[in-house]
Amino acid sequence: QMQLVESGGGSVQAGGSLKLSCTAARHIFNMCRMSWHRQAPGKERELVSSLGRDGTTSYVDSVKGRFTSSQDKEKNQMYLHMSNLKTEDTGVYYCRADCPSFGLWGMGTQVTVSS
């Protein structure tokens, strides 16, 4: 199965937390580099966090210390734990898989942070 499915988005007040999930087939996690991206209204899609096959993570500066990405291969899921959310974190969050010969995007999940 070659699809990514995000879930967990919603509306939250500034300072709150959300946990996003990305579900994919196990072979996707085994062979691909996974990442989270987001697209704010009127802006280009940007990389938020990368998660290597060895578990190493990286983050865009604007979310460092607030967001944490992780992976549970037994559950075939990747997560983005978001805390101390800010209004500028509002956008559609996408799961991405960069695989040896192809790439996959999920459909996205909306995150709205209100002041």
Side-chain angles (χ1 to χ4, degrees):
Q1 192 171 6
M2 305 296 280
Q3 64 176 6
L4 307 175
V5 180
E6 303 96 336
S7 61
S11 296
V12 65
Q13 288 192 323
S17 300
L18 282 174
K19 175 184 172 182
L20 305 183
S21 299
C22 173
T23 302
R26 186 168 299 183
H27 70 275
I28 295 295
F29 290 115
N30 287 338
M31 62 186 275
C32 307
R33 181 175 181 83
M34 305 299 295
S35 56
W36 287 98
H37 300 247
R38 67 184 178 189
Q39 187 164 17
K43 295 188 177 181
E44 293 187 353
R45 195 173 298 188
E46 68 168 345
L47 173 65
V48 175
S49 175
S50 290
L51 181 61
R53 287 181 292 168
D54 60 355
T56 55
T57 56
S58 62
Y59 304 91
V60 66
D61 285 346
S62 60
V63 308
K64 284 181 180 177
R66 301 188 298 119
F67 290 13
T68 302
S69 57
S70 61
Q71 186 171 286
D72 187 336
K73 292 186 178 181
E74 293 300 315
K75 295 183 178 180
N76 298 337
Q77 291 193 322
M78 176 176 72
Y79 307 106
L80 185 64
H81 299 258
M82 306 184 294
S83 62
N84 192 20
L85 282 160
K86 304 177 181 181
T87 54
E88 52 263 42
D89 294 319
T90 292
V92 179
Y93 283 70
Y94 298 90
C95 179
R96 163 80 178 174
D98 287 290
C99 310
S101 58
F102 61 92
L104 295 171
W105 286 102
M107 295 298 291
T109 185
Q110 176 71 43
V111 171
T112 302
V113 184
S114 58
S115 58

